[in-house]
Amino acid sequence: MNEQFSLKQLLIFFVLSALGVVGNYLNIKLFFGVDFIFGSIAALIAVRILGVLPGAAIAFIGGGFTYFLWGHPYAAIIFTVEVLTVGLLMQYLPKHLRYLALADLIYWILLGAPLVFLFYSNIMEMSFSQTSLIALKQPVNGIMNALIAALVVVGIDFILKKQRIPIGTILFNVITAGVYVTAISLTTIYAYPMKGNAEVGIENELVTIAKIAAENRRSDVDLSQLGPEIIFAKAPMDNLIHINGSLYVNLTLNKGPAMKRWKQADYVVQLPLYGLHGDSTHVIVKKNASQVINNLHQLYVRAFIILAIFSLLAIFCAAAVTGWLLYPLQNLAKHSQNLPERIEKGETPQIPDSPILESNQFANDFRNMAERLRLSFTEITAANDKLEKRVEERTKDLKLALDESQIANNAKSDFISNVSHELRTPLTSILGSLKLIQGGVVGEVNSKIETLLGTAIRNGDRLLNLVNDILDFSKLEAGKMKLTTQPVKAVTVIDSVIESTEGLIKEKGLSLNYEVGNDITVLAEAKRVEQILINIIGNAVKFTQSGEIVIKSAINGKFAEFSVSDTGCGIPEDKLSIIFDSFSQADTSSTRKAGGTGLGLAISEHFVRLHGGRIWVESKIDEGSTFKFTIPLV
């Protein structure tokens, strides 16, 4: 039972409590002195739905009502103990034997019947015959209630809760109910007319005696020899209960079991007399009903013994038949558990044949399926072993190829690095010498030489930048590039970049605008952030024929976001995913016109990632592009 009821459970509790009281009030009379009451149905339903203790509480409430019906508390005690015991048995019986009717039968054999004899025979001082009848009747009544409760719970689970019902529960309850209802019906047909038949005989006997007494009233005949008490009265008796015909009964007790009250009652026949002298009297003949009731007791006890035997047979046969029918299915379910794992371990399910045709066919199909599964698993295992071997061989080949590729890549990186160093040193010297000549160190140069020197210096600078890009890229690719970060003002970086690129932008006839926050400080290596911006601006200048270039910086969460926008030709959408690849350009024909190796954005992307940021591009054809990247704030 849950420690705390929900509102729904509380409502169910009150409804079942009310049904328990009504069930004990609206009884069904099987035959004289034997009534079936149904209060325990609600209590047993509560055991299955709410738990043992709520079910026992409902049994006590419903059983308590019998105190007002019968004038004693013992029925309430027996009903409450019944529900408690059944609830506990439903928890601790083996799972395949957890049936309400079987649990109720066990209760009545072990506790219920002994309690009936204790209360009714020892305390209430009923006769052995009366107590035996109660001890036989109440188990039959209780087991029938348990069957009804079980069928109601199955209906609730199936219809309302949409749960799957174990076939064993359905088979047991249906078989038991079928046999049980048949036995009770036959017993009722046999026992119901017994009292009526006996009373017809009593009526005939008393009427005959009354006539004899009337005829011999004035004679000297001893009427006491006739047996029953004969009274001549001037008026008929009052407060009699009519039975049938001329027969009445005089019940002096109003409370208690029917048979106990009737054993102390008298059957009465009274006939009017008209004497010879005109006096008017009645002849009344009375006979105690105890002999009839005792005979009925004996007949009822025999009937209920037969019914109890049928009950035992019904329950045990239902359990046996259910077990016999379910065993093949349970066996299949047992062998099908973890079937793939068991076959993987090399086990073969051993499923015995079944005497039931359908179950045996099912078992054969299952065996065939298990064998096919085993063969398939063997084939899969062999194929898997072969595949693993091939994968192992391919892995070795790939590792060898990767090692060779790594060696070649390292050789390439070393070669590029060495060549770049070797090229940069003389190139720097050449550019320095050309700039000295251009500056007039060796004398005044004429305009023609000035033009040639400018061309040489410009191309030398391009060549030096290319060498520097290749050297940086080789270091980045080899993982040898390290950053030295420190707090840097964004405005300082952008000012330096503008100073470096302003001439290039104006030479192309483009305008330059920028929006920079003075309070933005990033944790970065200033030289590398400048290089990122210069590479992006260089690309923007190359691919923009007219318009403007806009540089911005702003705070975006924990990062500073830099952006460079242009009004150039834009980048096709299908090229956006490769724009940051090394040696890649969105349009190779444009590359040829604008120049470049395709390393600038790749290097920029590496530097952004080294700082812990990200870089992306937004672009529309013929409208321009915006490159954005983030650098962590201090």
Side-chain angles (χ1 to χ4, degrees):
M1 174 183 174
N2 295 331
E3 293 182 359
Q4 191 172 12
F5 264 11
S6 67
L7 182 61
K8 180 181 178 182
Q9 289 173 319
L10 196 60
L11 179 62
I12 293 173
F13 177 83
F14 283 120
V15 170
L16 290 177
S17 297
L19 292 176
V21 173
V22 172
N24 284 333
Y25 178 74
L26 299 176
N27 54 57
I28 293 179
K29 185 181 293 295
L30 291 187
F31 33 84
F32 173 72
V34 178
D35 300 336
F36 268 17
I37 58 176
F38 304 100
S40 63
I41 295 175
L44 292 172
I45 292 173
V47 167
R48 300 307 309 274
I49 295 177
L50 303 177
V52 178
L53 293 183
I58 291 172
F60 184 77
I61 293 170
F65 181 72
T66 61
Y67 179 81
F68 300 100
L69 294 177
W70 303 330
H72 64 81
Y74 306 120
I77 297 172
I78 292 172
F79 292 155
T80 305
V81 176
E82 175 188 10
V83 173
L84 276 172
T85 305
V86 169
L88 293 174
L89 286 172
M90 290 298 290
Q91 293 180 2
Y92 296 107
L93 279 174
K95 192 172 182 180
H96 65 283
L97 295 177
R98 291 180 188 174
Y99 304 120
L100 277 176
L102 181 59
D104 202 68
L105 173 64
I106 294 172
Y107 160 75
W108 283 108
I109 292 175
L110 298 180
L111 281 177
L115 286 176
V116 169
F117 277 99
L118 173 66
F119 292 138
Y120 289 85
S121 179
N122 294 345
I123 297 177
M124 296 181 66
E125 297 181 349
M126 287 188 178
S127 68
F128 180 80
S129 176
Q130 290 176 317
T131 306
S132 298
L133 181 60
I134 296 171
L136 288 168
K137 171 261 176 186
Q138 286 193 358
V140 173
N141 192 170
I143 293 169
M144 183 174 182
N145 289 349
L147 279 171
I148 296 173
L151 293 172
V152 170
V153 170
V154 167
I156 291 172
D157 289 342
F158 181 71
I159 297 172
L160 299 182
K161 296 183 179 180
K162 306 298 182 183
Q163 294 181 352
R164 292 182 175 88
I165 311 300
I167 190 172
T169 301
I170 298 174
L171 283 174
F172 177 86
N173 289 318
V174 169
I175 294 172
T176 306
V179 177
Y180 213 70
V181 170
T182 302
I184 290 176
S185 300
L186 293 175
T187 303
T188 303
I189 292 171
Y190 165 73
Y192 191 83
M194 287 181 179
K195 179 173 177 291
N197 294 337
E199 288 174 339
V200 169
I202 292 293
E203 180 187 9
N204 293 334
E205 178 189 352
L206 296 185
V207 168
T208 301
I209 292 173
K211 290 181 178 179
I212 293 173
E215 293 173 357
N216 295 281
R217 178 188 177 196
R218 300 290 185 182
S219 67
D220 296 330
V221 176
D222 185 7
L223 297 178
S224 63
Q225 297 296 322
L226 297 176
E229 180 183 358
I230 301 172
I231 302 172
F232 292 96
K234 294 183 178 180
M237 293 178 64
D238 296 328
N239 300 320
L240 298 179
I241 298 173
H242 183 251
I243 302 299
N244 61 312
S246 302
L247 187 65
Y248 293 81
V249 67
N250 179 22
L251 285 175
T252 56
L253 295 178
N254 295 322
K255 290 186 178 181
M259 287 194 174
K260 183 177 180 181
R261 290 186 289 120
W262 275 71
K263 286 185 73 173
Q264 300 180 36
D266 294 317
Y267 283 114
V268 177
V269 168
Q270 48 187 3
L271 300 177
L273 293 176
Y274 298 93
L276 297 176
H277 303 287
D279 56 336
S280 177
T281 63
H282 283 74
V283 59
I284 300 172
V285 182
K286 297 196 307 183
K287 183 176 182 178
N288 188 264
S290 60
Q291 182 179 356
V292 174
I293 301 304
N294 287 334
N295 291 337
L296 287 177
H297 263 295
Q298 295 173 5
L299 292 172
Y300 289 171
V301 167
R302 285 197 292 271
F304 268 104
I305 288 174
I306 295 171
L307 185 55
I309 292 172
F310 267 102
S311 302
L312 289 171
L313 290 175
I315 291 175
F316 286 120
C317 288
V321 170
T322 301
W324 182 69
L325 291 174
L326 287 183
Y327 177 74
L329 295 177
Q330 291 170 342
N331 202 23
L332 282 173
K334 176 183 176 182
H335 284 88
S336 65
Q337 289 179 352
N338 303 319
L339 183 62
E341 290 82 358
R342 293 168 60 194
I343 291 178
E344 183 179 359
K345 294 177 181 178
E347 297 181 16
T348 301
Q350 300 296 327
I351 303 172
D353 291 332
S354 170
I356 302 171
L357 178 63
E358 290 79 4
S359 297
N360 195 57
Q361 182 61 45
F362 189 28
N364 289 332
D365 292 342
F366 184 85
R367 279 191 290 264
N368 293 335
M369 181 196 70
E371 179 61 20
R372 291 180 182 178
L373 185 61
R374 187 188 65 79
L375 293 175
S376 298
F377 185 80
T378 302
E379 294 174 359
I380 292 171
T381 301
N384 186 57
D385 292 341
K386 186 177 180 180
L387 181 60
E388 285 182 354
K389 186 176 180 181
R390 291 180 61 187
V391 168
E392 185 178 353
E393 292 173 354
R394 295 294 185 271
T395 302
K396 289 180 180 179
D397 294 341
L398 288 173
K399 188 175 182 303
L400 182 60
L402 182 62
D403 291 342
E404 292 175 352
S405 175
Q406 188 63 42
I407 292 171
N409 190 57
N410 291 339
K412 178 201 71 173
S413 297
D414 292 341
F415 173 76
I416 291 174
S417 179
N418 291 333
V419 169
S420 298
H421 277 293
E422 292 300 323
L423 287 173
R424 186 167 60 174
T425 300
L427 188 57
T428 303
S429 177
I430 291 170
L431 284 172
S433 298
L434 290 173
K435 288 177 181 179
L436 287 174
I437 294 171
Q438 189 182 39
V441 173
V442 294
E444 186 177 352
V445 293
N446 57 40
S447 59
K448 187 175 182 179
I449 295 175
E450 176 77 22
T451 302
L452 293 173
L453 285 172
T455 301
I457 290 171
R458 236 182 356 263
N459 286 289
D461 284 336
R462 287 180 60 191
L463 184 58
L464 182 60
N465 288 334
L466 176 59
V467 171
N468 286 334
D469 283 349
I470 293 173
L471 186 59
D472 286 343
F473 184 74
S474 66
K475 287 182 179 180
L476 289 167
E477 198 176 44
K480 296 178 180 179
M481 179 68 74
K482 304 296 180 183
L483 297 180
T484 304
T485 59
Q486 60 184 7
V488 179
K489 289 282 189 181
V491 66
T492 303
V493 174
I494 292 177
D495 285 344
S496 176
V497 170
I498 290 173
E499 184 179 344
S500 300
T501 59
E502 191 172 17
L504 180 65
I505 294 171
K506 288 183 178 179
E507 183 181 342
K508 191 74 177 285
L510 305 173
S511 61
L512 174 65
N513 295 308
Y514 52 91
E515 300 175 14
V516 184
N518 292 324
D519 57 346
I520 300 175
T521 303
V522 295
L523 186 63
E525 185 175 324
K527 177 184 174 183
R528 298 307 179 186
V529 178
E530 291 174 8
Q531 188 174 349
I532 296 168
L533 286 167
I534 289 171
N535 285 342
I536 295 174
I537 292 171
N539 267 4
V541 171
K542 280 190 282 187
F543 295 101
T544 302
Q545 304 305 319
S546 63
E548 64 175 354
I549 292 175
V550 180
I551 305 171
K552 294 181 181 180
S553 67
I555 294 177
N556 184 359
K558 296 181 180 180
F559 293 87
E561 184 177 288
F562 296 85
S563 67
V564 177
S565 301
D566 62 56
T567 56
C569 60
I571 304 170
E573 186 175 352
D574 61 334
K575 301 294 184 181
L576 293 177
S577 60
I578 63 169
I579 198 70
F580 295 105
D581 292 348
S582 56
F583 304 105
S584 176
Q585 291 273 356
D587 187 348
T588 54
S589 62
S590 297
T591 304
R592 291 292 177 263
K593 294 176 183 177
T597 61
L599 284 176
L601 291 179
I603 292 170
S604 298
E605 194 263 345
H606 275 290
F607 281 143
V608 170
R609 282 198 289 109
L610 283 175
H611 281 90
R614 69 185 187 96
I615 186 170
W616 68 99
V617 62
E618 299 168 356
S619 183
K620 290 186 178 180
I621 297 296
D622 297 330
E623 292 185 17
S625 304
T626 299
F627 284 83
K628 297 180 180 181
F629 65 93
T630 58
I631 301 293
L633 294 170
V634 173

PDB file of all heavy atoms in Angstrom, residues 416-433 460 463-464 467-468 471:
ATOM      1  N   ILE A 416      59.841  23.080 -47.561  1.00  0.00           N
ATOM      2  CA  ILE A 416      59.235  24.407 -47.752  1.00  0.00           C
ATOM      3  C   ILE A 416      59.820  25.407 -46.781  1.00  0.00           C
ATOM      4  O   ILE A 416      60.149  26.551 -47.137  1.00  0.00           O
ATOM      5  CB  ILE A 416      57.710  24.313 -47.589  1.00  0.00           C
ATOM      6  CG1 ILE A 416      57.102  23.541 -48.754  1.00  0.00           C
ATOM      7  CG2 ILE A 416      57.084  25.703 -47.504  1.00  0.00           C
ATOM      8  CD1 ILE A 416      55.625  23.271 -48.609  1.00  0.00           C
ATOM      9  N   SER A 417      60.002  24.965 -45.523  1.00  0.00           N
ATOM     10  CA  SER A 417      60.555  25.868 -44.511  1.00  0.00           C
ATOM     11  C   SER A 417      61.976  26.293 -44.879  1.00  0.00           C
ATOM     12  O   SER A 417      62.325  27.477 -44.818  1.00  0.00           O
ATOM     13  CB  SER A 417      60.530  25.183 -43.146  1.00  0.00           C
ATOM     14  OG  SER A 417      61.086  26.020 -42.161  1.00  0.00           O
ATOM     15  N   ASN A 418      62.777  25.310 -45.276  1.00  0.00           N
ATOM     16  CA  ASN A 418      64.178  25.611 -45.614  1.00  0.00           C
ATOM     17  C   ASN A 418      64.251  26.512 -46.850  1.00  0.00           C
ATOM     18  O   ASN A 418      65.007  27.502 -46.867  1.00  0.00           O
ATOM     19  CB  ASN A 418      64.949  24.318 -45.860  1.00  0.00           C
ATOM     20  CG  ASN A 418      65.127  23.521 -44.574  1.00  0.00           C
ATOM     21  OD1 ASN A 418      65.135  24.110 -43.483  1.00  0.00           O
ATOM     22  ND2 ASN A 418      65.264  22.208 -44.689  1.00  0.00           N
ATOM     23  N   VAL A 419      63.455  26.134 -47.875  1.00  0.00           N
ATOM     24  CA  VAL A 419      63.479  26.937 -49.099  1.00  0.00           C
ATOM     25  C   VAL A 419      62.993  28.354 -48.810  1.00  0.00           C
ATOM     26  O   VAL A 419      63.559  29.349 -49.305  1.00  0.00           O
ATOM     27  CB  VAL A 419      62.628  26.265 -50.187  1.00  0.00           C
ATOM     28  CG1 VAL A 419      62.417  27.212 -51.363  1.00  0.00           C
ATOM     29  CG2 VAL A 419      63.283  24.981 -50.659  1.00  0.00           C
ATOM     30  N   SER A 420      61.935  28.458 -48.001  1.00  0.00           N
ATOM     31  CA  SER A 420      61.402  29.782 -47.679  1.00  0.00           C
ATOM     32  C   SER A 420      62.431  30.634 -46.975  1.00  0.00           C
ATOM     33  O   SER A 420      62.594  31.833 -47.276  1.00  0.00           O
ATOM     34  CB  SER A 420      60.145  29.639 -46.804  1.00  0.00           C
ATOM     35  OG  SER A 420      59.143  28.940 -47.491  1.00  0.00           O
ATOM     36  N   HIS A 421      63.119  30.013 -46.019  1.00  0.00           N
ATOM     37  CA  HIS A 421      64.188  30.758 -45.323  1.00  0.00           C
ATOM     38  C   HIS A 421      65.271  31.176 -46.301  1.00  0.00           C
ATOM     39  O   HIS A 421      65.767  32.322 -46.255  1.00  0.00           O
ATOM     40  CB  HIS A 421      64.784  29.893 -44.201  1.00  0.00           C
ATOM     41  CG  HIS A 421      63.989  29.951 -42.937  1.00  0.00           C
ATOM     42  ND1 HIS A 421      63.886  31.089 -42.167  1.00  0.00           N
ATOM     43  CD2 HIS A 421      63.254  28.996 -42.308  1.00  0.00           C
ATOM     44  CE1 HIS A 421      63.131  30.846 -41.113  1.00  0.00           C
ATOM     45  NE2 HIS A 421      62.739  29.578 -41.174  1.00  0.00           N
ATOM     46  N   GLU A 422      65.642  30.235 -47.169  1.00  0.00           N
ATOM     47  CA  GLU A 422      66.716  30.529 -48.123  1.00  0.00           C
ATOM     48  C   GLU A 422      66.290  31.604 -49.118  1.00  0.00           C
ATOM     49  O   GLU A 422      67.128  32.405 -49.573  1.00  0.00           O
ATOM     50  CB  GLU A 422      67.107  29.246 -48.872  1.00  0.00           C
ATOM     51  CG  GLU A 422      67.782  28.198 -47.996  1.00  0.00           C
ATOM     52  CD  GLU A 422      69.064  28.721 -47.368  1.00  0.00           C
ATOM     53  OE1 GLU A 422      69.808  29.490 -48.014  1.00  0.00           O
ATOM     54  OE2 GLU A 422      69.311  28.365 -46.201  1.00  0.00           O
ATOM     55  N   LEU A 423      65.002  31.619 -49.478  1.00  0.00           N
ATOM     56  CA  LEU A 423      64.514  32.638 -50.406  1.00  0.00           C
ATOM     57  C   LEU A 423      64.341  33.991 -49.727  1.00  0.00           C
ATOM     58  O   LEU A 423      64.629  35.039 -50.316  1.00  0.00           O
ATOM     59  CB  LEU A 423      63.165  32.213 -51.001  1.00  0.00           C
ATOM     60  CG  LEU A 423      63.204  31.089 -52.041  1.00  0.00           C
ATOM     61  CD1 LEU A 423      61.779  30.672 -52.406  1.00  0.00           C
ATOM     62  CD2 LEU A 423      63.957  31.533 -53.294  1.00  0.00           C
ATOM     63  N   ARG A 424      63.873  33.974 -48.478  1.00  0.00           N
ATOM     64  CA  ARG A 424      63.560  35.229 -47.819  1.00  0.00           C
ATOM     65  C   ARG A 424      64.817  36.053 -47.541  1.00  0.00           C
ATOM     66  O   ARG A 424      64.816  37.282 -47.668  1.00  0.00           O
ATOM     67  CB  ARG A 424      62.799  34.954 -46.513  1.00  0.00           C
ATOM     68  CG  ARG A 424      62.307  36.233 -45.846  1.00  0.00           C
ATOM     69  CD  ARG A 424      61.306  35.961 -44.769  1.00  0.00           C
ATOM     70  NE  ARG A 424      61.851  35.114 -43.715  1.00  0.00           N
ATOM     71  CZ  ARG A 424      61.194  34.821 -42.591  1.00  0.00           C
ATOM     72  NH1 ARG A 424      59.964  35.272 -42.421  1.00  0.00           N
ATOM     73  NH2 ARG A 424      61.737  34.045 -41.681  1.00  0.00           N
ATOM     74  N   THR A 425      65.909  35.381 -47.176  1.00  0.00           N
ATOM     75  CA  THR A 425      67.133  36.136 -46.811  1.00  0.00           C
ATOM     76  C   THR A 425      67.677  36.929 -48.003  1.00  0.00           C
ATOM     77  O   THR A 425      67.854  38.149 -47.889  1.00  0.00           O
ATOM     78  CB  THR A 425      68.191  35.160 -46.270  1.00  0.00           C
ATOM     79  OG1 THR A 425      67.648  34.507 -45.121  1.00  0.00           O
ATOM     80  CG2 THR A 425      69.448  35.910 -45.878  1.00  0.00           C
ATOM     81  N   PRO A 426      67.945  36.284 -49.169  1.00  0.00           N
ATOM     82  CA  PRO A 426      68.449  37.103 -50.292  1.00  0.00           C
ATOM     83  C   PRO A 426      67.399  38.068 -50.841  1.00  0.00           C
ATOM     84  O   PRO A 426      67.724  39.152 -51.294  1.00  0.00           O
ATOM     85  CB  PRO A 426      68.837  36.058 -51.340  1.00  0.00           C
ATOM     86  CG  PRO A 426      68.063  34.849 -51.001  1.00  0.00           C
ATOM     87  CD  PRO A 426      67.914  34.849 -49.519  1.00  0.00           C
ATOM     88  N   LEU A 427      66.106  37.639 -50.753  1.00  0.00           N
ATOM     89  CA  LEU A 427      65.054  38.513 -51.262  1.00  0.00           C
ATOM     90  C   LEU A 427      64.962  39.789 -50.435  1.00  0.00           C
ATOM     91  O   LEU A 427      64.792  40.889 -50.968  1.00  0.00           O
ATOM     92  CB  LEU A 427      63.709  37.765 -51.253  1.00  0.00           C
ATOM     93  CG  LEU A 427      62.515  38.455 -51.920  1.00  0.00           C
ATOM     94  CD1 LEU A 427      62.845  38.786 -53.371  1.00  0.00           C
ATOM     95  CD2 LEU A 427      61.289  37.569 -51.841  1.00  0.00           C
ATOM     96  N   THR A 428      65.089  39.627 -49.135  1.00  0.00           N
ATOM     97  CA  THR A 428      65.080  40.810 -48.260  1.00  0.00           C
ATOM     98  C   THR A 428      66.256  41.716 -48.580  1.00  0.00           C
ATOM     99  O   THR A 428      66.138  42.956 -48.613  1.00  0.00           O
ATOM    100  CB  THR A 428      65.131  40.363 -46.788  1.00  0.00           C
ATOM    101  OG1 THR A 428      64.031  39.493 -46.513  1.00  0.00           O
ATOM    102  CG2 THR A 428      65.062  41.552 -45.854  1.00  0.00           C
ATOM    103  N   SER A 429      67.419  41.100 -48.839  1.00  0.00           N
ATOM    104  CA  SER A 429      68.620  41.882 -49.172  1.00  0.00           C
ATOM    105  C   SER A 429      68.446  42.618 -50.497  1.00  0.00           C
ATOM    106  O   SER A 429      68.786  43.806 -50.626  1.00  0.00           O
ATOM    107  CB  SER A 429      69.847  40.951 -49.247  1.00  0.00           C
ATOM    108  OG  SER A 429      70.986  41.673 -49.641  1.00  0.00           O
ATOM    109  N   ILE A 430      67.858  41.925 -51.474  1.00  0.00           N
ATOM    110  CA  ILE A 430      67.633  42.547 -52.788  1.00  0.00           C
ATOM    111  C   ILE A 430      66.678  43.722 -52.664  1.00  0.00           C
ATOM    112  O   ILE A 430      66.918  44.809 -53.215  1.00  0.00           O
ATOM    113  CB  ILE A 430      67.089  41.493 -53.770  1.00  0.00           C
ATOM    114  CG1 ILE A 430      68.176  40.452 -54.094  1.00  0.00           C
ATOM    115  CG2 ILE A 430      66.597  42.161 -55.054  1.00  0.00           C
ATOM    116  CD1 ILE A 430      67.671  39.261 -54.849  1.00  0.00           C
ATOM    117  N   LEU A 431      65.571  43.518 -51.943  1.00  0.00           N
ATOM    118  CA  LEU A 431      64.592  44.587 -51.775  1.00  0.00           C
ATOM    119  C   LEU A 431      65.201  45.781 -51.047  1.00  0.00           C
ATOM    120  O   LEU A 431      64.946  46.946 -51.387  1.00  0.00           O
ATOM    121  CB  LEU A 431      63.353  44.071 -51.004  1.00  0.00           C
ATOM    122  CG  LEU A 431      62.387  43.192 -51.799  1.00  0.00           C
ATOM    123  CD1 LEU A 431      61.341  42.592 -50.872  1.00  0.00           C
ATOM    124  CD2 LEU A 431      61.704  44.003 -52.891  1.00  0.00           C
ATOM    125  N   GLY A 432      66.046  45.473 -50.060  1.00  0.00           N
ATOM    126  CA  GLY A 432      66.700  46.572 -49.335  1.00  0.00           C
ATOM    127  C   GLY A 432      67.603  47.374 -50.255  1.00  0.00           C
ATOM    128  O   GLY A 432      67.637  48.611 -50.193  1.00  0.00           O
ATOM    129  N   SER A 433      68.335  46.662 -51.103  1.00  0.00           N
ATOM    130  CA  SER A 433      69.261  47.353 -52.032  1.00  0.00           C
ATOM    131  C   SER A 433      68.475  48.187 -53.036  1.00  0.00           C
ATOM    132  O   SER A 433      68.832  49.336 -53.330  1.00  0.00           O
ATOM    133  CB  SER A 433      70.119  46.316 -52.759  1.00  0.00           C
ATOM    134  OG  SER A 433      70.906  45.591 -51.842  1.00  0.00           O
ATOM    135  N   GLY A 460      58.801  42.397 -55.800  1.00  0.00           N
ATOM    136  CA  GLY A 460      59.611  41.788 -54.737  1.00  0.00           C
ATOM    137  C   GLY A 460      58.830  41.689 -53.438  1.00  0.00           C
ATOM    138  O   GLY A 460      58.923  40.682 -52.715  1.00  0.00           O
ATOM    139  N   LEU A 463      56.456  38.855 -53.752  1.00  0.00           N
ATOM    140  CA  LEU A 463      57.186  37.593 -53.608  1.00  0.00           C
ATOM    141  C   LEU A 463      57.551  37.343 -52.161  1.00  0.00           C
ATOM    142  O   LEU A 463      57.431  36.208 -51.661  1.00  0.00           O
ATOM    143  CB  LEU A 463      58.443  37.618 -54.488  1.00  0.00           C
ATOM    144  CG  LEU A 463      59.271  36.324 -54.526  1.00  0.00           C
ATOM    145  CD1 LEU A 463      58.404  35.154 -55.009  1.00  0.00           C
ATOM    146  CD2 LEU A 463      60.487  36.491 -55.432  1.00  0.00           C
ATOM    147  N   LEU A 464      57.942  38.400 -51.431  1.00  0.00           N
ATOM    148  CA  LEU A 464      58.289  38.243 -50.015  1.00  0.00           C
ATOM    149  C   LEU A 464      57.052  37.857 -49.193  1.00  0.00           C
ATOM    150  O   LEU A 464      57.135  36.994 -48.292  1.00  0.00           O
ATOM    151  CB  LEU A 464      58.896  39.544 -49.486  1.00  0.00           C
ATOM    152  CG  LEU A 464      59.358  39.509 -48.015  1.00  0.00           C
ATOM    153  CD1 LEU A 464      60.432  38.426 -47.816  1.00  0.00           C
ATOM    154  CD2 LEU A 464      59.883  40.872 -47.590  1.00  0.00           C
ATOM    155  N   VAL A 467      56.358  34.232 -49.809  1.00  0.00           N
ATOM    156  CA  VAL A 467      57.287  33.391 -49.050  1.00  0.00           C
ATOM    157  C   VAL A 467      56.887  33.353 -47.580  1.00  0.00           C
ATOM    158  O   VAL A 467      56.909  32.298 -46.919  1.00  0.00           O
ATOM    159  CB  VAL A 467      58.738  33.906 -49.228  1.00  0.00           C
ATOM    160  CG1 VAL A 467      59.676  33.184 -48.261  1.00  0.00           C
ATOM    161  CG2 VAL A 467      59.206  33.689 -50.658  1.00  0.00           C
ATOM    162  N   ASN A 468      56.521  34.522 -47.038  1.00  0.00           N
ATOM    163  CA  ASN A 468      56.103  34.559 -45.629  1.00  0.00           C
ATOM    164  C   ASN A 468      54.843  33.726 -45.404  1.00  0.00           C
ATOM    165  O   ASN A 468      54.719  33.020 -44.391  1.00  0.00           O
ATOM    166  CB  ASN A 468      55.850  36.009 -45.202  1.00  0.00           C
ATOM    167  CG  ASN A 468      57.155  36.775 -45.028  1.00  0.00           C
ATOM    168  OD1 ASN A 468      58.208  36.187 -44.744  1.00  0.00           O
ATOM    169  ND2 ASN A 468      57.112  38.098 -45.199  1.00  0.00           N
ATOM    170  N   LEU A 471      55.762  30.097 -45.461  1.00  0.00           N
ATOM    171  CA  LEU A 471      56.476  29.745 -44.229  1.00  0.00           C
ATOM    172  C   LEU A 471      55.501  29.636 -43.055  1.00  0.00           C
ATOM    173  O   LEU A 471      55.562  28.679 -42.263  1.00  0.00           O
ATOM    174  CB  LEU A 471      57.547  30.795 -43.942  1.00  0.00           C
ATOM    175  CG  LEU A 471      58.485  30.499 -42.758  1.00  0.00           C
ATOM    176  CD1 LEU A 471      59.226  29.185 -42.970  1.00  0.00           C
ATOM    177  CD2 LEU A 471      59.459  31.647 -42.553  1.00  0.00           C
TER     178      LEU A 471
END
